[in-house]
């Protein structure tokens, strides 16, 4: 998209007051108690997933996890201070990415909707931080493995059990009993993974910005992070189905970017386009916000990819090196294509390219060489660039290009991991297509399809259920006058 001069709203802040005062007197029905509107639906949904988690723990052969904890406690365990320090920093870096995303998305929308757009990212920090502690982490990473068993079977292939609900058995002075990160405290591993869950659902908001009801997004965040993110994280990183298949996802190509990108596509389709989409020009209101967001995201991505090494050694160095060069190559590629096709390289364009490269390298960061990372960044950028342009020609209103960048970028990155991966840089990985292993290439494609299907079907179900209890969209007048004033009672720039 090309930035162009944007006229600020001519509607004074004070002129909206009479409408706000009469808003509740017109078309709205009397409010029912909150528990009648939403409590029953959410309660039944949560009861279902918790019941599955409970059965997963009961029906599978009793785990040796508790024995492992007791055996570990019998001998003094001390965390690796270097690994622990790096993972604490990485946790902070990834958490910072969500405010960075808020600036990135906030700059891309119009001035009357900037606060609402940023609030959707920030409320994800509030909601998911709590639900992750209460049940999300247990459903994503708890598992019941018999002695000598590496991957789960039965229900454990798809969702975790409930032994870690409310951080029960999650120690801050011992490593996790399964062996995800043996050199750092279990509580730190939990906190690091929380930051991934937060930003993943926040990414979805970009496709439905400027029209979704904040109340609907609030409940969507709870349900999506529970029913989509936790099972996918479990299947890939929690010794579940996709991990057992041998799919490689170093830092979230499938878990984060494909899931959020595909969900964004479905959500945009279900909500429909903005009322003035394709009627008048819609351009970013604050390009410096966009670039600030890109910078914060790139900075945080060092924790996102580098921290996924779960330690401070050479693998982490490889991951942040690949992160840097892939993003640089992608930004360069996007700018060149824009320059050649449109005659002018734009600031939003190079920023979008940087993000596309970061997305593309995420699943491969710890499995490929830096030269391969350059190729992945460039190829991902090309794919995302054309996806953005095709979306515009199809007149599909994914407001902030979430699917063309994250869905397409995550897919391309995951598949290219199956091409460029090599055991020469990570013996715990696998060789890809370039090294004579066609099987990994096929496995990556299957993993992409499974992740996309779970995200698409799950998002459709969640939004369909929510629609029974509340409107998904704001009404036309709210959309026209701005979500900031009507949904939050404040304006970003002195009321304009």
């Amino acid at each position: 998209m090309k930035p162009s001069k944007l006229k600020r709203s001519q509607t004074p802040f004070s002129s909206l007051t009479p409408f706000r005062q009469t808003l509740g007197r017109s078309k709205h029905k009397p409010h029912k108690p909150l528990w009648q509107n939403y409590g029953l639906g959410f309660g039944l949904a949560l009861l279902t997933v918790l019941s599955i988690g409970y059965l997963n723990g009961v029906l599978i052969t009793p785990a040796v996890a508790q024995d492992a904890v007791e055996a570990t406690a019998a001998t003094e365990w001390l965390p690796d201070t270097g690994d622990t320090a790096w993972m604490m920093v990485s946790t902070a870096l990834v958490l910072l990415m969500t405010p960075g995303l808020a600036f990135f998305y906030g700059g891309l929308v119009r001035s009357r909707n900037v606060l609402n757009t940023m609030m959707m990212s920030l409320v994800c920090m509030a909601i998911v931080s709590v639900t992750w502690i209460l049940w999300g982490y247990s459903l994503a990473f708890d598992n019941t493995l018999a002695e000598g068993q590496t991957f789960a079977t039965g229900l454990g292939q798809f969702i975790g059990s409930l032994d870690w609900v409310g951080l029960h058995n999650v120690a801050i002075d011992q490593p996790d009993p399964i062996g995800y990160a043996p050199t750092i405290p279990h509580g730190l591993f939990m906190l690091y993974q929380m930051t991934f869950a937060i930003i993943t659902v926040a990414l979805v908001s970009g496709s439905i910005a400027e029209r979704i009801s904040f109340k609907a997004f609030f409940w969507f965040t709870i349900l999506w992070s529970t029913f989509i993110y936790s099972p996918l994280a479990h299947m890939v990183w929690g010794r579940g189905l996709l991990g057992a298949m041998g799919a490689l996802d170093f830092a979230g190509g499938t878990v984060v970017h494909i899931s959020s990108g595909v969900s964004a596509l479905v959500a945009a389709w279900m909500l429909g386009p903005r009322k003035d989409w394709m009627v008048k020009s819609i351009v970013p209101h604050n390009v410096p916000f966009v670039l600030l967001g890109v910078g914060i995201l790139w900075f945080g991505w060092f924790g996102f990819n580098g921290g996924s090494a779960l330690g401070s050694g050479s693998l982490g160095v490889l991951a942040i090196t690949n992160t840097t060069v892939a993003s640089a190559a992608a930004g360069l590629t996007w700018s060149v294509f824009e320059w050649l096709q449109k005659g002018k390289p734009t600031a939003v364009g190079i920023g979008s390219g940087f993000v596309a490269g970061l997305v593309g390298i995420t699943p491969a960061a710890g499995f490929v060489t830096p030269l391969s990372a350059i190729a992945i960044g460039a190829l991902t950028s090309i794919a995302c660039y054309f996806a953005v342009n095709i979306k515009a020609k199809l007149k599909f209103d994914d407001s902030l290009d979430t699917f063309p960048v994250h869905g397409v970028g995550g897919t391309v990155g995951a598949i290219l991991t199956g091409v460029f991966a090599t055991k020469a840089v990570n013996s715990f990985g696998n060789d890809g297509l370039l090294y004579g292993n066609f099987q990994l290439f096929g496995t990556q494609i299957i993993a992409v399809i499974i992740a996309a299907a779970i995200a698409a079907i799950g998002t459709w179900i969640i939004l369909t259920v929510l629609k029974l209890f509340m409107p998904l969209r704001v009404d036309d007048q709210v959309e026209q006058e701005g979500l900031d004033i009507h949904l939050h009672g404040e304006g970003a720039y002195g009321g304009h």
Side-chain angles (χ1 to χ4, degrees), residues 212-402:
I212 189 170
S213 158
F214 190 73
K215 185 185 295 184
F217 185 75
F218 182 97
W219 289 102
F220 175 82
T221 299
I222 297 174
L223 297 175
W224 194 93
S225 61
T226 300
F227 290 97
I228 307 299
Y229 183 84
S230 286
L232 264 178
H234 182 80
M235 292 168 67
V236 176
W237 295 327
R239 308 292 176 90
L241 176 66
L242 297 181
M245 288 171 49
L248 297 182
D249 188 354
F250 190 75
T254 51
V255 178
V256 176
H257 297 296
I258 292 176
S259 68
S260 62
V262 171
S263 294
L265 179 70
V266 173
W269 168 68
M270 292 186 68
L271 265 72
R274 289 165 286 182
K275 295 301 180 181
D276 53 1
W277 171 250
M278 303 304 293
V279 175
K280 61 181 180 180
S281 178
I282 300 177
V283 296
H285 91 281
N286 193 325
V287 174
F289 266 24
V290 176
L291 300 182
L292 174 63
V294 170
I296 295 174
L297 285 170
W298 192 340
F299 181 66
W301 229 291
F302 289 128
F304 200 85
N305 289 352
S308 291
L310 299 175
S312 59
S314 58
L315 184 58
V317 174
L318 174 70
I320 64 173
T321 301
N322 287 341
T323 300
T324 302
V325 298
S327 183
L332 178 62
T333 301
W334 193 296
S335 291
V336 169
F337 268 75
E338 201 170 43
W339 208 339
L340 292 174
Q341 186 180 23
K342 300 179 181 180
K344 296 178 182 178
T346 66
V348 172
I350 195 170
S352 299
F354 286 151
V355 173
L358 292 166
V359 170
I361 197 59
T362 292
F367 299 123
V368 302
T369 67
L371 287 177
S372 295
I374 292 174
I376 290 173
L379 292 172
T380 303
S381 182
I382 293 170
C384 293
Y385 176 83
F386 283 106
V388 168
N389 285 275
I390 291 171
K391 183 216 75 169
K393 291 181 179 178
L394 293 176
K395 300 182 180 180
F396 185 82
D397 190 13
D398 175 346
S399 304
L400 309 181
D401 296 332
T402 306

